[in-house]
Amino acid sequence: MTEPDIIDRAAMALSAGLMLTGIVVLGVVEILAGQPYSPVPITNDAGEVVATPLVDPTLRTGLVLAGIAVLGLYAAYRLVTPMPEETTTRKEVPAD
């Protein structure tokens, strides 16, 4: 296994950052904002919107999908780039 290079680290950091922002950070923001925890607007019996989520669910979903897309692009990059040759030299030891 080779050491991760700058592209490996950038892809991992960007995808993890996007997904963690969409799932964890915005989830904590929703919890701190208080009720309602519903991703859709809540209406009363008359059909009026009485409560909406603080962060639009489309934004959260978009961030997670963008993180997955970065991982997909990274996987495609790794498929088309050639594997580096092993540069480790092995020392031969005679058998006893």
Side-chain angles (χ1 to χ4, degrees), residues 30 34-43 51-55 57 60:
E30 283 289 330
Q35 303 243 342
Y37 298 121
S38 173
V40 294
I42 297 175
T43 58
T52 58
L54 181 65
V55 179
R60 293 182 70 181

Side-chain angles (χ1 to χ4, degrees), residues 2 6 24 39 45 49 51 54 58 60-61 64 70 77 82 94:
T2 61
I6 189 71
V24 177
D45 293 334
V49 175
L54 181 65
T58 307
R60 293 182 70 181
T61 304
V64 173
V70 168
Y77 162 77

